[in-house]
Amino acid sequence: MVDYTIARFKKGSKKFEVLVDPDKALEYKLGRRKDFTDVLVFDEIYSDANKGLRTSRSDLMEVFGTTDIQKIAERIVKEGDLQIKAEQRRKLIEEKKKQIVSFISRYCVDARTNAPIPPIRIESILDEAGVKIDPFRSIEEQINDILGEVSKIIPIKRQMSILSIKVPAIYVGKAYGYLKNTGDLLNEEWLNDGSLQATVSIPSGLKVEFIEKLGRITNGTAYVEIIGEKTI
């Protein structure tokens, strides 16, 4: 028996469905698979796949501007709704949840103390708040709704820390790349003795880790001062 699922695309009152391989279609929709080969199980576009009702060529031309089944199917999978198995959904939600926990721990702090929130605490809050995570929406698309739910449990805010940093000349080579890759280098000034004076903006949730790692890179000789906090 052929294993398949349905991908569905709606335009006004018109509905278009294709039968696709569950795993390959999911990989394609998530961008993990670039080749559409073997994603489509049957070379047909349906108005109702369960009833076996095929879509008319005129409807295909009207909505997609073509009758090429492969091109239409690619768009249906990419832009439409894909039915997925319960196990697939569970794994996707767990992956997205980890990304959301990482995002919150980096960019958010406890509004009462300005302290970072440990990832394990964030996981607990997400569960306690009953947050619904959409596995197909980006973090940016759903983070405001999620933070709204989290705020019912703990006051939270998105915040960036502005740091003033001075790195001795002997360690500039090692430290400069770290500064650029970890935060936004707002300005930099090379002093006469070869040392670096810089202002860096980083997610507040990372500031403790950032300062500790910069200390290791510079053998404890870097000067770091928190000169501001910016809510975003």
Side-chain angles (χ1 to χ4, degrees):
M1 181 177 179
V2 178
D3 188 20
Y4 65 83
T5 190
I6 296 174
R8 181 179 295 112
F9 180 90
K10 291 182 179 180
K11 184 74 172 182
S13 61
K14 294 180 171 61
K15 184 173 66 175
F16 305 89
E17 298 181 342
V18 288
L19 302 181
V20 292
D21 179 286
D23 296 322
K24 293 175 182 176
L26 180 57
E27 290 177 359
Y28 186 79
K29 187 172 182 65
L30 294 173
R32 298 172 183 173
R33 179 189 182 94
K34 302 302 180 184
D35 187 0
F36 196 72
T37 304
D38 296 329
V39 173
L40 196 59
V41 175
F42 297 113
D43 291 333
E44 296 285 354
I45 310 293
Y46 300 93
S47 58
D48 191 324
N50 289 323
K51 295 180 180 178
L53 300 178
R54 295 180 175 84
T55 305
S56 68
R57 291 173 63 87
S58 60
D59 281 350
L60 294 178
M61 282 300 299
E62 179 184 339
V63 174
F64 299 101
T66 182
T67 57
D68 186 307
I69 292 176
Q70 285 290 317
K71 289 182 179 179
I72 294 171
E74 286 182 37
R75 185 172 170 189
I76 290 174
V77 173
K78 190 173 294 182
E79 300 178 21
D81 296 321
L82 177 66
Q83 294 181 355
I84 59 176
K85 300 174 182 177
E87 180 62 16
Q88 288 177 311
R89 178 171 290 278
R90 185 191 66 76
K91 287 182 179 179
L92 283 178
I93 289 176
E94 282 301 311
E95 288 177 14
K96 186 69 68 174
K97 184 178 181 181
K98 289 178 181 178
Q99 294 170 10
I100 289 168
V101 168
S102 176
F103 181 95
I104 295 175
S105 69
R106 288 167 61 92
Y107 288 95
C108 300
V109 295
D110 186 325
R112 299 165 300 187
T113 62
N114 282 338
I117 308 170
I120 192 169
R121 174 61 175 141
I122 296 170
E123 286 190 44
S124 173
I125 293 171
L126 292 176
D127 292 339
E128 185 179 348
V131 170
K132 303 296 183 185
I133 296 173
D134 188 328
F136 291 117
R137 292 173 69 201
S138 69
I139 293 175
E140 290 75 13
E141 290 173 321
Q142 54 186 317
I143 192 62
N144 286 336
D145 291 338
I146 290 172
L147 291 180
E149 293 299 312
V150 169
S151 294
K152 295 176 182 178
I153 308 296
I154 180 175
I156 192 172
K157 62 182 178 180
R158 296 170 68 176
Q159 184 171 278
M160 300 291 287
S161 294
I162 313 301
L163 309 179
S164 176
I165 298 167
K166 185 176 181 181
V167 178
I170 191 173
Y171 295 108
V172 166
K174 293 181 180 180
Y176 187 71
Y178 177 65
L179 296 180
K180 289 198 69 173
N181 293 331
T182 305
D184 293 326
L185 200 53
L186 302 180
N187 61 63
E188 57 186 88
E189 180 183 357
W190 300 90
L191 305 181
N192 292 334
D193 62 359
S195 60
L196 172 66
Q197 179 77 49
T199 304
V200 179
S201 173
I202 64 168
S204 291
L206 290 182
K207 65 183 176 184
V208 174
E209 176 186 335
F210 175 87
I211 293 170
E212 289 178 349
K213 184 166 182 178
L214 184 61
R216 291 195 295 271
I217 291 173
T218 63
N219 199 28
T221 61
Y223 168 81
V224 181
E225 180 184 0
I226 301 170
I227 59 175
E229 307 281 4
K230 180 175 66 175
T231 301
I232 57 175

